[in-house]
Amino acid sequence: MTPPGLETERLTLRGHRALDFDECLAMWSDPEVTRFIGGRPCTREEVWSKLLRYVGHWTVVGFGYWVIREKASGRYVGETGFADFKRDMEPSVEDAPEIGWALASWAHGRGLATEAVRAVAAWGDAHFGTRRTVCCIHPQNVASLRVAEKAGYRELTRTTYRGEPTILFERWPR
């Protein structure tokens, strides 16, 4: 499946391409971005694997991640979308698409994550029918906790993932 383009007031969202690699690498190698997502900057190899995984999701499961760009400037903002990461965690989330997002540090605090995540959640409502979607957020990631709440996600449980605390949220279609 080819990722559909999405548009918001300030943003455009499209599927990942190889030409996005350098901008993805810049974001994922920023300690501020990865502080609550893995806890350390990603290597070139890890970012390349992420990009391939994002592209592959669309082909294998019919959903995936989008690159977020600012309309006015064309500047790379970050990425958001749904995935099936086959996470080894309890409770299992394999029955539900998992939404996630990461933004370049220059874009933090401007409402861009909320704008993008709301657009992707609306796409999910139309695409997944009556299925719930989930997200996992580190309890200290206050900004992402706010984004999840604004997009309609509600806390389901507190658990751990890879030895770190995480909060599992769920959202049912509107």
Side-chain angles (χ1 to χ4, degrees):
M1 173 178 188
T2 302
L6 300 178
E7 196 169 305
T8 70
E9 182 182 334
R10 298 180 291 169
L11 306 170
T12 59
L13 288 79
R14 64 153 173 79
H16 284 78
R17 302 176 187 147
L19 60 88
D20 298 315
F21 177 70
D22 289 337
E23 291 168 306
C24 288
L25 179 60
M27 180 185 76
W28 284 110
S29 60
D30 180 345
E32 185 177 332
V33 171
T34 60
R35 180 175 52 178
F36 298 117
I37 309 172
R40 64 169 178 74
C42 295
T43 66
R44 287 178 59 81
E45 180 179 351
E46 289 167 334
V47 174
W48 182 245
S49 290
K50 278 181 185 292
L51 193 144
L52 295 176
R53 182 172 58 191
Y54 296 153
V55 172
H57 260 83
W58 287 102
T59 301
V60 175
V61 296
F63 56 86
Y65 268 62
W66 287 266
V67 168
I68 308 165
R69 291 200 175 272
E70 190 177 48
K71 272 186 189 177
S73 66
R75 192 173 183 188
Y76 177 90
V77 172
E79 53 199 35
T80 185
F82 291 102
D84 178 359
F85 291 131
K86 304 285 187 213
R87 289 189 193 275
D88 185 16
M89 67 183 292
E90 290 296 327
S92 174
V93 294
E94 285 197 44
D95 65 325
E98 179 184 335
I99 196 169
W101 56 90
L103 270 64
S105 56
W106 73 265
H108 293 178
R110 299 179 57 206
L112 298 174
T114 298
E115 190 172 324
V117 170
R118 282 180 172 161
V120 169
W123 179 89
D125 287 352
H127 184 78
F128 300 127
T130 59
R131 289 173 70 190
R132 74 178 180 146
T133 58
V134 298
C135 64
C136 304
I137 303 173
H138 191 286
Q140 293 177 345
N141 190 343
V142 175
S144 280
L145 293 172
R146 282 194 304 260
V147 170
E149 182 181 342
K150 289 176 185 177
Y153 285 86
R154 300 294 171 246
E155 184 174 330
L156 177 64
T157 191
R158 291 177 183 243
T159 186
T160 59
Y161 177 65
R162 294 185 177 169
E164 291 293 319
T166 191
I167 304 174
L168 179 61
F169 292 82
E170 68 179 354
R171 181 180 181 277
W172 293 91
R174 296 180 177 185

